[in-house]
Amino acid sequence: VLGDYDKSLETIQKYETLFGNFNRLLVYRGLIKKRQGKPEEAFELIAEATRRNPSDYLGWNAYANELLERKKYQEALPALQRC
């Protein structure tokens, strides 16, 4: 699955079907979408992950990185502090 983003997304979908929708899967899906060149879709998935589970450090870390890449430094700082 490594490097095959479509296959990775398919695997995540299968996992969700079997075990339910976990917050981390949103983060993983977002990171894959980013690699596919879909940054806005990625950002929305990662932001949704932080809303669904505000205590998940992985989601906040990914969200902070997205904000930093967009040069939204004032918004990124609180996200980094939640990691």
Side-chain angles (χ1 to χ4, degrees), residues 13-31:
Q13 182 62 43
K14 286 179 184 177
Y15 189 89
E16 286 176 327
T17 301
L18 292 172
F19 302 107
N21 186 352
F22 294 98
N23 184 66
R24 290 261 172 113
L25 296 177
L26 285 174
V27 176
Y28 299 148
R29 186 179 285 125
L31 294 172

Side-chain angles (χ1 to χ4, degrees), residues 3-62:
D4 185 345
Y5 303 126
D6 291 328
K7 184 73 169 171
S8 296
L9 290 171
E10 182 181 310
T11 301
I12 288 173
Q13 182 62 43
K14 286 179 184 177
Y15 189 89
E16 286 176 327
T17 301
L18 292 172
F19 302 107
N21 186 352
F22 294 98
N23 184 66
R24 290 261 172 113
L25 296 177
L26 285 174
V27 176
Y28 299 148
R29 186 179 285 125
L31 294 172
I32 291 167
K33 291 291 185 179
K34 183 176 179 177
R35 295 279 184 146
Q36 288 180 315
K38 301 175 182 177
E40 293 308 315
E41 201 172 333
F43 183 77
E44 288 305 317
L45 287 165
I46 292 168
E48 178 63 23
T50 63
R51 288 190 291 272
R52 285 191 189 182
N53 186 358
S55 64
D56 182 19
Y57 69 91
L58 181 67
W60 285 107
N61 185 45

Side-chain angles (χ1 to χ4, degrees), residues 46-78:
I46 292 168
E48 178 63 23
T50 63
R51 288 190 291 272
R52 285 191 189 182
N53 186 358
S55 64
D56 182 19
Y57 69 91
L58 181 67
W60 285 107
N61 185 45
Y63 186 64
N65 287 334
E66 291 296 315
L67 291 170
L68 288 170
E69 287 180 13
R70 288 169 169 73
K71 297 184 181 1
K72 295 183 177 185
Y73 304 116
Q74 294 300 319
E75 294 175 51
L77 183 59

